[in-house]
Amino acid sequence: MKTGKTSILGIACTVFTVILAIAWLFPIYWMGATSLKAETDTIVNPPTLFPWPPNFDAFVYIIQNSPFFRWYLNTVVTSVSVTFLCILFSLMCAYALSRLEFWGKRLLYASLLVGFMLPFATMAVPLFMFMTQLNFVNTFAGLIAPQVATPLAVIVFKQFFDEVPRDFRDAALIDGASEFKILFKIYLPVNWSIVWAMSIIIFIGTWNNFLWPLIVTNSTPMLTVPVGMTQVQSAYGVAFAKICATGVLASIPTAAAYLFFQKRVTQGVMAAAGLK
Amino acid sequence: MPPAEPNGPQKKRKRNSWIAYAFVGPFLLFYVLFLIYPALRVVYLSLTNSDIAGQGHFTGLANYHELVFDQEFWVAVGHTVYFVVLTVVPNTAVGFFLALLVLRLKRLRLPILSALFLPYVLPVSVVTNCIALWMLDANFGIVNNLLGTNTAWFGDAGFAMPGVALVTIWWTVGFNMLLFIAGLQNIPVEYYEAAALDGANGFERFLFVTCPLIWPVASLVLILQLIAQFKIFDQVYLLTFGGPSNATTVVLLYMYREAFQQGRGGYASAVAMALVVIIVVVSLVQSRLLRVKSVR
Amino acid sequence: MKTLTLVFAVVLGLRAYAPAAPLELTYWDFLGGGDGIRMKQIVEAFNKSQSDIHVTESTLTWGEPFYTKVHTGVVAGQTPDVMTYHLSHFPAGIKAKDLRPFTTEELAAAGLKASDFQASLIQRSLEISKTYGGTDQLFGVPLDMHTLVLYYNKTALGKAGLLDADGKPTGLDSLAAFTKMLTEAKTKTHLIPVSANIYSQDPASLWRIWYTFFVQQGGDFVKNGQLSFDDVNVQGIKSLQIMADWSKEGLIPKNVGYASMVALFTAARSDFMINGNWEVPTLVDLKKSGKLPFDYGVVAFPKLFDNQETWADSHQLAIPNNDKTPATPEKVAAALKFIAFVVKQVTWAGGGHIPAYLPVQESDTFKQMVPNNEYSTQAAKDLAFEPTLPIFGVGGPTFVPISNFLVPAVNGQAPVDQSMKQFTDELEKFQKQ
């Protein structure tokens, strides 16, 4: 880490960084500002940088003309379920890959890496046809099931479990503990922050997933927020404030989750690439 | 990249295996049903002339034969490579640069870090429809208003792909920035102190301490970026849908069009398989070239 | 325990009086925005008006995703009970066996007969039924016709002296007069003469305008039931050249998305807008709330060439085909009862469309609707539907080459002849697949 003394160059650098951060946030701010204007105000030139008083017509329109709250509910249910199942199963699978011996271990790990490289869009239609056979189309099961098996969490957890000193497990085994107990009473608490962080990552990823919910849902009440949002946006007429309002509504949960848990998220992201 | 296997296989405790399968079982069930099975189905479909719903006959390697001579496919590969060139190195470099800027700060560090990372948590459709397309709208976007022009940024064949690249970088560089922050924080302070004692100035310390020691992280970021950008779909679908005049048609978009607009499910599956092969080959080649070791 | 028994008894007793559960119908449409609001009102009205049938409406994404979902639903045997459909997609849909035809008896049971509807629509629909379905039954009940109309800014044109005695724009009788008038409008009003959606990401509008020019010169894509480019290479190129010239002179803008096109007109930055009649409610609502800073008018698309035919399409109400669980007679009857209700609602015309059901079209309520009565009578005579080949129509593959080749030609980024050749080559390729 460079430790610079306070200098003109140093101050200039800091000022530059602050300005950069503000400019970086500007597009998000602009979306929010546009959403708070009357439609006819969004298209004036020169544009109003700060809308006052704020106009909530666009938000009212969206809430009145779409089941946005039902969409929030769907997305929450899906994201929480996927996150819970994915993390739980990944922990177990990663533990086995890290500490247990079984036939096919190498093959499984290799298939996880290849699976990580597969683009989801390629499998969307066969997956959809499979869903119809299972009668999962337009159901929560259909939304949740395919998203549970993400290789990323397994790969990350395995890496972290490999770091836990082997003595912990050896000692516990001598004491007669079951593998299950070792996982949940030793390995999990020791790695609590990465588990927490990966949960946030999976949650945000599931929430923002666009393609799969688009394909597997058939009815308006079953849509998730990213998909429903694009339907509301195909409204006719002058629509810029409405478009931005749907964007604001769609982003609030993930942005709030991030800002609330930011420390954990940053740790998780760094760990996802194999760093501590 | 996967770490080296720990100790060799331990032959004791065979009953380990049963417990292991119990642990692996739930994940494996979902994985096989919802990832492996559809993937195998895609392989099978690529050998048929199915429509989008999977109805068709076995045609062997006919699709692949057509693929080799399909000019539009190779043009799409070219566009994908172009996009990779526009994003992989710049996204990595910008991430590194931002990490350096952030690490200089103390009290401001967390707010600045949050600001730079925030775009990453937005859904892609918000980034494209509510931000990029709105700000760059030809008649009412703020960028054109400030510049006094009427340019349709994403309607211009020359700008379209760089435009998609720019949006992608703004959206995703936060991830790279965090990786670099972790990597830079892992460099022991003593190395810098030793270099300073040897008379190296700030720039020389950067060149001879920071750069070599951050290289493993950098190559890791480059590989992750490479895989991610080859798979690009969402941004192109939402920003330009492959236009204008196919200027931004990347392989996955070409596959989507063949599948859903032409109704050629079998052929689209062959395109998908070709892409997967390309990704696997390129990542293997790149990891060899960079000889990455995982950072512990 | 006693309380429990009491509660149980009350509940059972109540159930005896509860009405029989209504028949549930699932209804898919692709109607968002102003249209969608009206359709929702109609569905609610239907559900309220009787208790035998309950319709649950789902609005899906307009365009190709809708038809893909219908097709995969048909293949999987999981379909809605009734849905909206575009006439222009009938060739593709009927060929793919996604639709179930209606018998004359089924229609009669719901009080409907073919002669109650706009003749040109029925005739076209039956032609398609014959060619692609091998039957002389209808595959859909027509709901409306929608077409291109000319919106104009009365205030601006009035000030520039470009309105005639009736308050309609001058120069609507020939291409030369129209172009001259647009050029004058440009200099006198300092506005963009025509706001049109010319954008590679949304090629539908460009297609509709070009197609209108094409058919107004007598052009046709289909000769003897086959795809033919004879006219395309003559009248088609001429139409494309005219649009490119207009773009070069600044009479139509370059690269304007759909929302921007409407915004340009409603913000009084253009004199005209060439768009479908479905934006009429937007203007009506803006005028009512005082947010429209000018007086507007709507006329049927003018006769610029040899005839006044104008691109049009039609919303149809149809029942999907389901081989795995075919629709029961009760469901078909219920669906038709719902359909019969919908086509009779003049509310739908509030969306700017022209009702297909003649009693509504000829009713006083409709005839007095403003501004619908400014264009509907003429427009209903000029309908030119999309070519009846499976590669055309909403959700078809032609929009990709339109976007890739015709849009740049109009924008002046590629030569007209070359673009048209590339376009026809692509269509040739699709036709073969």
Side-chain angles (χ1 to χ4, degrees):
Chain A
M1 240 311 285
K2 299 196 293 274
T3 49
K5 303 177 299 216
T6 328
S7 66
I8 306 284
L9 189 61
I11 296 179
C13 243
T14 308
V15 168
F16 172 74
T17 310
V18 172
I19 294 180
L20 179 67
I22 294 177
W24 204 257
L25 279 181
F26 182 73
I28 301 178
Y29 167 75
W30 190 236
M31 169 178 75
T34 308
S35 70
L36 291 172
K37 295 182 183 170
E39 287 288 1
T40 41
D41 287 335
T42 60
I43 52 181
V44 297
N45 190 4
T48 339
L49 280 178
F50 189 71
W52 194 261
N55 180 314
F56 292 98
D57 285 353
F59 288 98
V60 168
Y61 176 89
I62 291 166
I63 293 174
Q64 278 182 342
N65 284 304
S66 67
F68 221 89
F69 290 118
R70 173 69 209 255
W71 292 343
Y72 266 139
L73 183 70
N74 294 341
T75 323
V76 166
V77 168
T78 308
S79 305
V80 169
S81 311
V82 169
T83 306
F84 177 72
L85 291 174
C86 176
I87 297 293
L88 178 64
F89 295 166
S90 299
L91 282 171
M92 291 163 58
C93 188
Y95 181 74
L97 281 173
S98 175
R99 291 294 179 244
L100 302 179
E101 291 307 321
F102 57 98
W103 181 88
K105 184 166 155 174
R106 274 197 136 110
L107 179 66
L108 175 60
Y109 192 69
S111 81
L112 289 177
L113 292 177
V114 174
F116 191 51
M117 291 188 202
L118 287 177
F120 177 77
T122 61
M123 298 182 288
V125 177
L127 196 52
F128 176 75
M129 299 311 289
F130 186 42
M131 290 289 124
T132 59
Q133 288 173 323
L134 292 174
N135 255 330
F136 277 4
V137 174
N138 212 41
T139 61
F140 278 113
L143 277 169
I144 293 170
Q147 301 191 66
V148 169
T150 322
L152 178 67
V154 179
I155 296 173
V156 170
F157 288 156
K158 175 190 185 306
Q159 189 126 337
F160 273 67
F161 286 175
D162 286 348
E163 300 293 316
V164 175
R166 291 187 164 267
D167 310 338
F168 286 23
R169 177 165 171 267
D170 292 344
L173 284 171
I174 291 173
D175 280 350
S178 69
E179 303 282 9
F180 209 70
K181 227 172 166 185
I182 297 175
L183 168 60
F184 285 104
K185 291 255 149 101
I186 302 178
Y187 277 68
L188 181 58
V190 163
N191 290 299
W192 189 238
S193 68
I194 182 62
V195 172
W196 189 229
M198 280 311 294
S199 305
I200 299 288
I201 298 273
I202 301 280
F203 181 84
I204 291 182
T206 313
W207 186 284
N208 287 344
N209 195 352
F210 175 73
L211 192 58
W212 179 243
L214 176 70
I215 290 178
V216 80
T217 54
N218 272 342
S219 69
T220 313
M222 275 313 291
L223 299 178
T224 58
V225 170
V227 181
M229 187 192 120
T230 48
Q231 270 193 15
V232 176
Q233 286 177 355
S234 65
Y236 297 141
V238 187
F240 298 116
K242 294 189 196 69
I243 291 175
C244 289
T246 53
V248 169
L249 286 174
S251 310
I252 286 178
T254 43
Y258 166 66
L259 290 170
F260 199 60
F261 297 113
Q262 53 195 347
K263 260 218 171 110
R264 312 282 191 185
V265 176
T266 57
Q267 280 176 333
V269 169
M270 298 185 310
L275 307 171
K276 200 150 45 79
Chain B
M1 297 318 286
E5 276 279 325
N7 318 330
Q10 283 159 330
K11 293 296 185 195
K12 38 185 171 165
R13 284 185 286 245
K14 267 296 168 103
R15 57 195 161 88
N16 231 346
S17 296
W18 294 109
I19 302 176
Y21 292 134
F23 270 67
V24 166
F27 184 82
L28 203 56
L29 177 72
F30 279 83
Y31 193 62
V32 166
L33 277 181
F34 299 111
L35 201 133
I36 303 288
Y37 172 65
L40 292 177
R41 189 115 179 96
V42 173
V43 175
Y44 173 68
L45 281 178
S46 71
L47 302 171
T48 68
N49 64 357
S50 309
D51 71 352
I52 191 56
Q55 319 251 292
H57 324 289
F58 185 80
T59 53
L61 293 175
N63 288 331
Y64 290 99
H65 184 257
E66 187 185 334
L67 195 64
V68 169
F69 295 106
D70 184 352
Q71 200 190 11
E72 278 187 67
F73 169 70
W74 292 109
V75 167
V77 172
H79 288 145
T80 314
V81 170
Y82 179 41
F83 182 75
V84 162
V85 167
L86 282 178
T87 45
V88 172
V89 171
N91 211 358
T92 308
V94 172
F96 183 44
F97 178 63
L98 292 180
L100 291 172
L101 284 182
V102 164
L103 283 175
R104 288 187 60 254
L105 307 168
K106 294 201 181 48
R107 268 178 315 155
L108 284 175
R109 185 183 292 186
L110 202 54
I112 300 288
L113 179 63
S114 306
L116 294 173
F117 187 75
L118 200 60
Y120 192 76
V121 308
L122 302 175
V124 64
S125 46
V126 171
V127 173
T128 57
N129 297 1
C130 312
I131 294 182
L133 288 174
W134 164 231
M135 283 182 70
L136 293 173
D137 184 81
N139 288 290
F140 302 105
I142 189 173
V143 172
N144 274 322
N145 285 345
L146 292 177
L147 293 177
T149 55
N150 252 339
T151 328
W153 300 89
F154 290 107
D156 177 281
F159 179 81
M161 191 64 104
V164 177
L166 195 67
V167 172
T168 305
I169 292 177
W170 177 80
W171 182 38
T172 60
V173 76
F175 185 94
N176 298 345
M177 176 182 64
L178 288 188
L179 265 58
F180 277 116
I181 287 177
L184 287 168
Q185 284 181 317
N186 272 356
I187 300 177
V189 166
E190 297 80 46
Y191 285 31
Y192 289 107
E193 290 169 357
L197 282 176
D198 279 352
N201 63 27
F203 183 65
E204 284 167 337
R205 286 201 299 273
F206 177 73
L207 207 54
F208 296 116
V209 178
T210 312
C211 285
L213 289 174
I214 202 67
W215 179 240
V217 176
S219 18
L220 182 63
V221 171
L222 284 170
I223 288 184
L224 291 177
Q225 280 293 301
L226 190 73
I227 296 177
Q229 309 308 357
F230 257 105
K231 296 198 293 185
I232 186 181
F233 176 75
D234 291 5
Q235 297 97 292
V236 173
Y237 178 83
L238 290 166
L239 282 171
T240 57
F241 202 66
S245 301
N246 280 340
T248 56
T249 302
V250 292
V251 176
L252 276 183
L253 193 80
Y254 181 63
M255 181 210 80
Y256 180 88
R257 277 207 216 143
E258 287 294 316
F260 292 95
Q261 287 192 334
Q262 316 292 358
R264 304 185 63 201
Y267 189 64
S269 303
V271 173
M273 295 315 309
L275 179 68
V276 172
V277 167
I278 292 177
I279 292 179
V280 169
V281 167
V282 171
S283 4
L284 281 178
V285 167
Q286 193 193 25
S287 67
R288 276 287 147 78
L289 282 178
L290 297 179
R291 260 175 254 126
V292 171
K293 297 170 234 126
S294 57
V295 178
R296 302 263 179 132
Chain C
M1 195 55 211
K2 260 214 175 131
T3 347
L4 198 62
T5 328
L6 187 59
V7 169
F8 209 55
V10 169
V11 168
L12 277 178
L14 283 177
R15 281 201 59 183
Y17 287 107
L23 181 70
E24 287 286 337
L25 285 182
T26 46
Y27 168 46
W28 285 5
D29 67 42
F30 41 68
L31 304 161
D35 276 9
I37 298 178
R38 282 170 176 79
M39 181 53 80
K40 281 191 185 42
Q41 289 170 352
I42 294 176
V43 172
E44 270 168 31
F46 177 75
N47 284 334
K48 273 213 193 87
S49 73
Q50 45 76 50
S51 50
D52 299 319
I53 307 169
H54 183 260
V55 172
T56 315
E57 180 196 12
S58 286
T59 305
L60 307 178
T61 318
W62 185 96
E64 164 258 300
F66 182 81
Y67 292 110
T68 305
K69 272 204 142 46
V70 168
H71 183 65
T72 42
V74 167
V75 170
Q78 296 192 345
T79 55
D81 299 309
V82 63
M83 61 184 178
T84 51
Y85 219 83
H86 287 100
L87 180 66
S88 59
H89 200 258
F90 265 7
I94 296 173
K95 188 165 170 214
K97 297 198 175 27
D98 286 345
L99 295 161
R100 175 199 182 283
F102 297 110
T103 64
T104 345
E105 294 79 35
E106 285 167 345
L107 289 172
L112 299 170
K113 49 190 194 294
S115 53
D116 287 337
F117 294 92
Q118 175 95 1
S120 52
L121 267 179
I122 297 289
Q123 190 193 351
R124 186 60 152 222
S125 189
L126 288 173
E127 274 170 27
I128 300 174
S129 294
K130 191 97 181 284
T131 319
Y132 293 98
T135 167
D136 46 14
Q137 313 276 31
L138 287 169
F139 279 90
V141 175
L143 173 61
D144 68 38
M145 301 156 290
H146 44 276
T147 176
L148 285 186
V149 291
L150 189 64
Y151 299 82
Y152 61 98
N153 184 329
K154 258 195 202 155
T155 321
L157 289 174
K159 277 205 208 119
L162 291 169
L163 293 179
D164 63 19
D166 299 321
K168 306 262 188 277
T170 55
L172 293 185
D173 45 7
S174 75
L175 178 69
F178 192 65
T179 315
K180 182 157 170 284
M181 189 261 300
L182 289 180
T183 325
E184 266 190 65
K186 183 160 179 245
T187 24
K188 287 196 184 150
T189 64
H190 302 291
L191 300 176
I192 302 172
V194 178
S195 176
N197 171 206
I198 311 284
Y199 193 41
S200 61
Q201 237 204 319
D202 188 0
S205 301
L206 183 151
W207 162 254
R208 293 166 186 154
I209 299 177
W210 176 87
Y211 189 68
T212 303
F213 286 6
F214 180 64
V215 296
Q216 284 200 356
Q217 295 169 73
D220 199 348
F221 269 94
V222 183
K223 294 211 197 285
N224 296 327
Q226 303 289 340
L227 179 64
S228 153
F229 296 132
D230 295 341
D231 293 343
V232 175
N233 288 329
V234 178
Q235 292 101 318
I237 290 188
K238 185 163 171 222
S239 309
L240 198 60
Q241 187 64 56
I242 293 169
M243 292 179 78
D245 292 339
W246 278 10
S247 178
K248 200 155 80 144
E249 319 272 313
L251 301 180
I252 52 174
K254 297 191 200 327
N255 290 312
V256 168
Y258 187 87
S260 302
M261 160 178 64
V262 178
L264 279 177
F265 183 70
T266 54
R269 284 178 41 178
S270 77
D271 297 300
F272 292 91
M273 174 169 67
I274 298 180
N275 197 358
N277 49 233
W278 49 78
E279 282 305 334
V280 163
T282 308
L283 291 168
V284 168
D285 292 340
L286 282 175
K287 193 87 189 122
K288 228 194 307 191
S289 54
K291 296 212 185 104
L292 197 70
F294 58 91
D295 280 329
Y296 75 96
V298 189
V299 284
F301 198 82
K303 175 179 174 201
L304 298 179
F305 299 90
D306 307 320
N307 61 53
Q308 203 172 351
E309 287 183 11
T310 316
W311 169 90
D313 202 343
S314 161
H315 290 130
Q316 306 268 327
L317 291 163
I319 294 184
N321 193 20
N322 192 330
D323 288 331
K324 297 203 176 148
T325 35
T328 61
E330 291 87 42
K331 283 237 159 147
V332 174
L336 275 168
K337 199 161 167 216
F338 171 63
I339 291 175
F341 180 85
V342 176
V343 300
K344 292 181 183 148
Q345 304 308 307
V346 77
T347 320
W348 186 245
H353 304 298
I354 306 170
Y357 192 56
L358 293 172
V360 174
Q361 206 190 103
E362 288 155 6
S363 71
D364 288 328
T365 334
F366 179 67
K367 289 212 164 119
Q368 287 160 3
M369 264 184 151
V370 179
N372 305 55
N373 53 15
E374 289 176 41
Y375 61 87
S376 299
T377 331
Q378 180 63 43
K381 298 195 200 128
D382 304 329
L383 307 172
F385 297 112
E386 299 237 7
T388 48
L389 289 171
I391 59 174
F392 289 100
V394 176
T398 49
F399 288 103
V400 174
I402 293 171
S403 154
N404 283 336
F405 305 121
L406 299 187
V407 173
V410 170
N411 280 336
Q413 293 163 323
V416 169
D417 290 352
Q418 191 191 321
S419 303
M420 191 53 88
K421 177 89 184 28
Q422 289 170 311
F423 177 64
T424 50
D425 285 346
E426 279 290 295
L427 291 190
E428 188 87 54
K429 210 173 74 164
F430 296 152
Q431 186 70 354
K432 291 211 182 94
Q433 279 166 357

